[in-house]
């Protein structure tokens, strides 16, 4: 590629671009469109959903009760899978000892999904109160459950259906020895449920044990946390409660995507954001405060790199056990805005190699022209991908049964210099052999739409950002945003015009 062409493209990339793929003709395709009303998807807070599975009488309910007790200042609701047992027919009731209550088909999973969907959308639901004595789910009045900050789903087979599993932000498996479970079950079923010990043992050997081996135990692999000894394991429960508290204090998107990291907000950080977002801020101040913020994001991103232990001798002759920095690193900036982050990276990582990527729409046929200059051995390096704004999303889709990098298009109008190019850049890095888990994407501001696309498409990559904005406006620009980052940073915006508009808006507001 000739240098003139590259220069032309860099020049062109400072304006608003229609990249890759046009909306025309797309309406009929079944492709999710981004929300155009700013923040629509963000206004409603998503609950933190915890799944608790394990064998019958393993201590699931006990663990849930302890979590709820410790989260006393949060709105927490427990939804038990038992509530969704099918009602038995007269025939089944007559031969209840032959009914398998431990099989996945014993539950009305559609109804459970429906209830959770309602709770997630802020609607109260009526959950049946199952009666283990009469085997009926309508023996008692239903329980009214209100939307909450935390929803705990508990049950022997709560991890069985992938649709239920996918709703969960955290999955816990209570792992208790089979003999302990059986002993507890005998006591519970004879004392609390008025059953005969012979029937309890028959049910156990005929249904409970085989179902545990066939359906419950195989779901243990989905657990994020396995708690041995159930409610006796106070350390595990404390850690879980701490984790939930952290997640509740975080941006909603961090609860959904474990690969998204928003740096802890402080008044200093808010102050810097206030300055760079202010349309009246001078170029000099914009660059100064952007640089400060970028430095923080870079330092935070570096904290996600692997390390090795290292011991040194201090001047007092003592041993200090510390860590050695990860050596095989490289930065990659997405031209042009990403270049504003290079200095901060160089200041933190002496002599770091920095590659560049430019992605440009060529013509109207959706072709992408990609300029890249990357280190030869990039596949062996951890990559810090630099782009200050993650704006719109993009979609991976199939064309003629081929899912290829060349077919990754943006499906709507976007500003080329903002984050949408991230998906193409990441795909290019992966195509060059960089493992997805070796990529850390650093930016200052992310729009939820961009986060959804990047985090879903690349779940092993990490995004480190300093603030998540409300959304995108009808022009697919991040709002509240900060305008054209590249233009403001490199001084190619029409300052006078911008400031005149802002002053006019301010004076209108104060009238
Ligand atoms: N750590 C424990 N020590 C003693 N008994 C326990 C313990 N955990 C639970 N139990 C008892 O065992 C029975 C089953 O516990 P539960 O929490 O209801 O299990 P699950 O919900 O998994 O069926 C209950 O009677 C409960 O009181
Ligand atoms: N009518 C019923 C319904 C269910 N069971 C047993 O309950 C167990 C699940 O409940 P946990 O609280 O122990 O998780 C399951 O093993 C069923 O066999 C029942 O006995 N009668
Ligand atoms: Mg229970």
């Amino acid at each position: 590629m000739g240098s003139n062409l590259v220069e032309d493209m860099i020049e062109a990339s400072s304006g608003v671009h229609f990249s890759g793929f046009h909306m025309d003709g797309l309406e009929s395709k079944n492709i999710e469109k981004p929300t155009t009303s700013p923040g629509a998807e963000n206004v409603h807070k998503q609950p933190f959903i915890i799944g608790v599975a394990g064998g019958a009488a393993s201590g699931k309910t006990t663990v849930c009760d302890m979590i709820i007790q410790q989260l006393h200042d949060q709105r927490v609701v427990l939804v038990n899978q038992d509530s969704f047992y099918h009602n038995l027919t007269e025939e089944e009731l007559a031969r209840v000892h032959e009914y398998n209550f431990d099989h996945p088909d014993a539950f009305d999973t559609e109804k459970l999904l429906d209830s959770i969907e309602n709770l997630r959308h802020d609607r109260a639901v009526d959950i049946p109160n199952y009666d283990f004595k009469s085997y009926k789910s309508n023996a008692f009045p239903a329980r009214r459950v209100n939307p909450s900050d935390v929803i705990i789903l508990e049950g022997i087979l709560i991890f069985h259906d992938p649709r239920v599993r996918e709703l969960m932000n955290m999955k816990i498996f209570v792992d208790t020895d089979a003999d302990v479970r059986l002993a507890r079950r005998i006591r519970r079923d004879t004392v609390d449920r008025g059953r005969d010990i012979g029937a309890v043992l028959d049910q156990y050997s005929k249904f409970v044990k085989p179902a545990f081996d066939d359906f419950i135990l195989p779901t243990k692999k989905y657990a994020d946390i396995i708690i041995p000894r159930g409610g006796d394991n106070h350390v595990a429960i404390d850690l879980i409660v701490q984790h939930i508290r952290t997640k509740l204090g975080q941006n909603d998107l961090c609860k959904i995507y474990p690969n998204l990291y928003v740096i802890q907000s402080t008044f200093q950080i808010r102050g810097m954001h206030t300055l760079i977002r202010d349309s009246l801020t001078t170029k000099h101040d914009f660059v100064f405060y952007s640089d400060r913020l970028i430095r923080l994001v870079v330092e935070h991103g570096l904290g996600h790199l692997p390390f090795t232990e290292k011991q040194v001798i201090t001047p007092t002759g003592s041993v200090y056990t510390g860590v050695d920095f990860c050596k095989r690193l490289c930065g990659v900036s997405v031209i042009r805005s990403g270049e504003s982050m290079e200095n901060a990276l160089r200041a933190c990582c002496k002599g770091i190699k920095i590659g560049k990527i430019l992605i440009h729409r060529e013509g109207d046929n959706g072709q992408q022209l990609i300029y890249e200059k990357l280190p030869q051995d990039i596949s062996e390096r951890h990559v810090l991908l630099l782009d200050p704004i993650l704006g719109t999303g993009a979609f991976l889709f199939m064309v003629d049964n081929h899912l290829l990098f060349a077919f990754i298009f943006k499906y709507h109008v976007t500003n080329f210099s903002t984050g949408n190019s991230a998906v193409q850049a990441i795909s290019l890095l992966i195509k060059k052999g960089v493992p997805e888990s070796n990529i850390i994407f650093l930016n200052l501001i992310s729009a939820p739409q961009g986060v959804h696309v990047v985090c879903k498409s690349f779940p092993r990559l990490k995004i480190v950002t300093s603030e998540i904005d409300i959304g995108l406006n009808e022009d697919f620009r991040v709002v509240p945003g900060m305008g054209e980052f590249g233009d403001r940073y490199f001084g190619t915006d029409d300052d006078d015009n911008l400031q005149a508009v802002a002053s006019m808006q301010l004076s209108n507001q104060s009238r």
Side-chain angles (χ1 to χ4, degrees):
M1 186 184 294
S3 62
N4 278 349
L5 181 53
V6 172
E7 275 165 26
D8 288 349
M9 281 169 18
I10 295 172
E11 167 102 1
S13 73
S14 61
V16 175
H17 283 248
F18 294 75
S19 57
F21 201 70
H22 291 268
M23 281 299 275
D24 318 4
L26 239 182
E27 318 290 343
S28 57
K29 290 204 175 79
N30 190 19
I31 293 177
E32 196 183 328
K33 278 196 261 168
T35 165
T36 50
S37 55
E41 67 176 293
N42 240 19
V43 173
H44 164 60
K45 257 181 105 62
Q46 284 293 314
F48 189 80
I49 303 184
I50 307 168
V52 180
S58 58
K60 300 183 294 299
T61 306
T62 308
V63 165
C64 294
D65 287 346
M66 291 170 77
I67 294 175
I68 292 169
Q69 224 173 8
Q70 290 196 31
L71 284 173
H72 52 89
D73 52 348
Q74 301 288 341
R75 294 188 310 157
V76 190
V77 68
L78 177 64
V79 176
N80 203 307
Q81 194 181 20
D82 295 341
S83 305
F84 297 89
Y85 268 120
H86 284 295
N87 262 321
L88 303 192
T89 61
E90 287 305 318
E91 207 179 317
E92 286 167 335
L93 262 179
R95 301 154 71 97
V96 76
H97 299 302
E98 290 169 28
Y99 192 87
N100 188 351
F101 289 100
D102 293 70
H103 191 278
D105 293 346
F107 300 96
D108 186 347
T109 303
E110 301 306 317
K111 193 167 173 183
L112 177 120
L113 277 165
D114 191 53
S115 301
I116 304 308
E117 215 40 46
N118 275 315
L119 286 174
R120 287 182 70 215
H121 289 93
D122 246 353
R123 295 187 287 266
V125 289
D126 289 326
I127 306 269
N129 246 323
Y130 188 73
D131 179 18
F132 286 87
K133 284 188 178 160
S134 65
Y135 307 99
K136 286 197 165 77
S137 65
N138 51 5
F140 306 112
R143 181 171 61 112
R144 172 53 52 120
V145 171
N146 290 313
S148 300
D149 302 321
V150 181
I151 300 174
I152 307 184
L153 304 178
E154 184 239 292
I156 49 172
L157 288 161
I158 206 74
F159 295 167
H160 182 75
D161 191 306
R163 295 169 301 167
V164 182
R165 247 183 4 244
E166 269 162 28
L167 295 172
M168 297 169 184
N169 303 105
M170 183 199 260
K171 298 185 214 64
I172 300 170
F173 190 94
V174 182
D175 200 11
T176 305
D177 287 347
D179 50 355
V180 176
R181 280 189 276 117
L182 176 59
R184 286 182 189 163
R185 186 181 178 106
I186 293 171
R187 190 183 307 127
R188 181 178 69 183
D189 284 4
T190 51
V191 177
D192 302 344
R193 298 180 185 172
R195 296 187 187 169
D196 165 69
I197 187 159
V200 175
L201 291 174
D202 276 354
Q203 186 192 8
Y204 186 81
S205 56
K206 202 165 162 188
F207 298 123
V208 181
K209 186 174 166 19
F212 180 80
D213 295 335
D214 294 346
F215 302 116
I216 302 173
L217 194 56
T219 66
K220 187 171 157 182
K221 62 172 175 280
Y222 301 119
D224 304 305
I225 302 158
I226 295 166
I227 312 188
R229 307 184 310 282
D232 289 338
N233 196 333
H234 293 270
V235 175
I237 290 164
D238 282 354
L239 288 171
I240 290 166
V241 170
Q242 260 180 45
H243 181 78
I244 298 168
R245 285 193 179 288
T246 311
K247 290 285 171 189
L248 287 175
Q250 280 179 351
N251 182 288
D252 270 359
L253 287 174
C254 295
K255 289 184 217 158
I256 303 171
Y257 301 113
N259 52 335
L260 171 67
Y261 299 87
V262 184
I263 65 176
Q264 178 111 38
S265 184
T266 62
F267 285 121
Q268 279 295 306
I269 290 176
R270 298 275 290 152
M272 290 183 247
H273 266 280
T274 310
L275 274 154
I276 62 170
R277 288 160 182 280
D278 186 344
S279 52
L280 295 176
T281 295
T282 61
K283 175 187 179 270
H284 183 264
D285 278 356
F286 183 85
V287 171
F288 181 81
Y289 291 106
S290 295
D291 282 348
R292 266 188 73 188
L293 267 173
I294 290 168
R295 181 73 182 252
L296 288 174
V297 171
V298 168
E299 288 282 9
H300 195 103
L302 293 171
H304 288 279
L305 290 169
F307 58 85
T308 43
E309 194 182 292
K310 184 179 179 184
Q311 289 192 333
V312 291
I313 308 294
T314 70
T316 63
S318 326
V319 175
Y320 176 84
T321 305
V323 294
D324 202 4
F325 293 134
C326 169
K327 296 267 168 13
R328 300 198 63 75
L329 274 189
C330 133
V332 172
S333 57
V334 178
I335 299 172
R336 167 178 76 136
S337 317
E339 291 173 311
S340 63
M341 302 174 79
E342 292 177 1
N343 281 344
L345 188 58
R346 283 199 192 94
C348 296
C349 310
K350 213 168 29 150
I352 189 169
K353 289 192 176 189
I354 298 188
K356 292 182 194 279
I357 296 179
L358 172 67
I359 304 147
H360 184 74
R361 183 182 68 87
E362 199 180 40
D364 286 330
N365 56 3
Q367 290 287 309
Q368 298 284 327
L369 177 64
I370 299 168
Y371 164 76
E372 38 99 349
K373 191 81 189 141
L374 302 168
Q376 287 266 301
D377 58 352
I378 191 158
S379 62
E380 291 152 32
R381 294 175 181 269
H382 283 263
V383 176
L384 295 137
L385 181 63
L386 312 172
D387 198 352
I389 302 182
L390 172 58
T392 56
F395 277 87
L396 307 180
F397 60 96
M398 311 281 286
V399 173
D400 293 335
N401 280 332
H402 297 292
L403 179 65
L404 294 174
F405 170 66
F407 295 127
I408 299 169
F409 296 108
K410 288 165 256 186
Y411 60 99
H412 49 63
V413 181
T414 182
N415 178 340
F416 175 78
S417 63
T418 59
N420 193 348
S421 36
V423 170
Q424 282 95 331
I426 295 161
S427 303
L428 176 65
L429 293 175
I430 292 171
K431 198 175 156 229
K432 293 274 172 193
V434 181
E436 191 182 306
S437 54
N438 280 8
I439 305 171
I440 303 175
F441 178 28
L442 306 180
N443 63 70
L444 288 186
I445 295 180
S446 296
Q449 289 87 344
V451 169
H452 284 309
V453 171
V454 174
C455 286
K456 262 191 203 153
S457 311
F458 308 104
R460 287 183 293 279
L461 158 150
K462 291 189 175 82
I463 297 183
V464 176
T465 189
S466 65
E467 277 193 358
I468 308 258
D469 269 17
I470 293 170
L472 302 170
N473 67 12
E474 50 287 343
D475 297 323
F476 301 101
R477 284 165 182 270
V478 181
V479 282
M482 60 165 87
E484 285 304 310
F485 186 91
D487 282 340
R488 294 187 74 189
Y489 193 92
F490 295 111
T492 47
D493 57 343
D494 189 350
D495 255 347
D496 296 343
N497 197 14
L498 197 72
Q499 295 192 8
V501 171
S503 317
M504 227 163 68
Q505 278 170 352
L506 279 181
S507 66
N508 280 345
Q509 275 168 21
S510 57
R511 264 185 215 143

